[in-house]
Amino acid sequence: MEILGIDIGGTGIKGALVDIESGQLTSERFRLDTPGGACPEEVAEVVHAVAKHFLWKKKVGITMPVRIRDGIACTAANIDPSWIGTDVEALFSSALELEVTALNDADAAGYAEVHYGAGRGASGKTLVLTLGTGIGSSLFVGHVLVPNLELGHLRMGGTTAEALAANSIRKRDDLSWKKWAKRLQKYLTYIEFLLDPSLIILGGGVSRPKRTRHYFHLLKTNARLLPAQFQNEAGIIGAACAAHTQTV
Ligand code: BGC
């Protein structure tokens, strides 16, 4: 069975067909630019164009960097504030005239890892952290998602965790891997104290092997610590997986 997964990011809106049994993409990815301003109606038009590219007429999973409860966006940290209060599922369902499940981007990345990736087969609590422009977080108890954690916004060192330890901050401030790893370590220790997960998966661009060799050995956690298996495709795969899981 295939589902169309669409990942709305700050710069691009990407879609692909996903085989729900294997988690593999069954089409090429198709990407269009996120419209400047990224307000709901403009984004819906681009999402429509992405679905049209696939001539898609079935279920769709959509993910974006906002907290989504009962289909409605409740936060908008790195995206236009006009999303807050928007019924995201209603907006996209009516733009596409299709059944849509919408969820937070880190929750989607978590679905991808827990069902098909580094967390496959794990029992207990799995925490997935995505280190990118912000810090996304998702917690699973077995395969069950505890949605919308937003642990990137925890207060730390007089600011927020993502303002200190996101990968965008490492790049912006030209931090050495060692210095950045020290910040990340503080964050991980804090999170372990709060949630005591048995597995932590670190995702985002820094989870590629050529990046993890710079800092993974510097991190110490009680939980098993693994790099994510999916990077660019995590949102698409996870959105499709969530659309399937949440409606069966
Ligand atoms: C947002 C989250 C998102 C994360 C990663 C944070 O700033 O608040 O909703 O999951 O960035 O994109």
Side-chain angles (χ1 to χ4, degrees):
M1 179 189 183
E2 285 174 324
I3 292 186
L4 175 62
I6 298 181
D7 182 359
I8 302 171
T11 56
I13 298 181
K14 297 159 281 178
L17 300 183
V18 181
D19 172 60
I20 288 307
E21 275 73 46
S22 65
Q24 303 282 318
L25 300 197
T26 55
S27 72
E28 291 289 313
R29 280 192 310 160
F30 178 68
R31 179 193 183 282
L32 292 172
D33 285 346
T34 305
C39 60
E41 287 68 30
E42 288 168 1
V43 168
E45 270 177 37
V46 179
V47 166
H48 179 246
V50 171
K52 205 167 157 204
H53 168 85
F54 292 98
L55 304 171
W56 195 244
K57 290 281 164 253
K58 291 188 242 166
K59 212 182 271 181
V60 184
I62 297 184
T63 186
M64 57 188 302
V66 299
R67 183 178 252 176
I68 299 178
R69 193 194 312 134
D70 299 329
I72 297 173
C74 314
T75 61
N78 290 313
I79 195 162
D80 194 80
S82 61
W83 282 94
I84 297 175
T86 299
D87 189 331
V88 177
E89 285 185 349
L91 174 77
F92 293 134
S93 300
S94 87
L96 305 185
E97 295 181 45
L98 296 173
E99 186 187 336
V100 170
T101 299
L103 77 165
N104 173 262
D105 59 351
D107 287 349
Y111 264 108
E113 294 303 329
V114 162
H115 282 260
Y116 315 108
R120 205 162 62 154
S123 55
K125 282 183 273 182
T126 301
L127 178 71
V128 179
L129 297 172
T130 61
L131 305 161
T133 308
I135 296 181
S137 53
S138 63
L139 181 70
F140 285 78
V141 182
H143 274 188
V144 179
L145 171 69
V146 180
N148 291 319
L149 283 194
E150 293 289 353
L151 297 178
H153 298 280
L154 281 176
R155 298 298 295 173
M156 236 181 86
T159 176
T160 64
E162 72 174 23
L164 277 178
N167 190 38
S168 59
I169 304 300
R170 181 186 66 80
K171 292 197 222 158
R172 188 197 67 190
D173 296 349
D174 203 15
L175 297 176
S176 66
W177 285 105
K178 199 171 162 195
K179 215 165 183 176
W180 178 69
K182 212 168 158 187
R183 293 184 181 190
L184 187 56
Q185 176 65 61
K186 264 198 190 143
Y187 179 53
L188 291 174
T189 305
Y190 187 13
I191 297 267
E192 285 212 281
F193 167 72
L194 291 175
L195 297 175
D196 190 31
S198 37
L199 171 63
I200 300 176
I201 298 172
L202 297 184
V206 280
S207 59
R208 291 196 170 83
K210 66 174 191 213
R211 297 263 187 270
T212 52
R213 68 189 166 88
H214 294 297
Y215 69 94
F216 242 71
H217 62 286
L218 301 171
L219 303 173
K220 278 203 173 55
T221 53
N222 295 323
R224 208 148 62 92
L225 184 68
L226 293 175
Q229 184 174 319
F230 303 106
Q231 285 94 31
N232 287 340
E233 294 167 356
I236 293 175
I237 296 169
C241 176
H244 177 63
T245 311
Q246 294 181 4
T247 49
V248 283

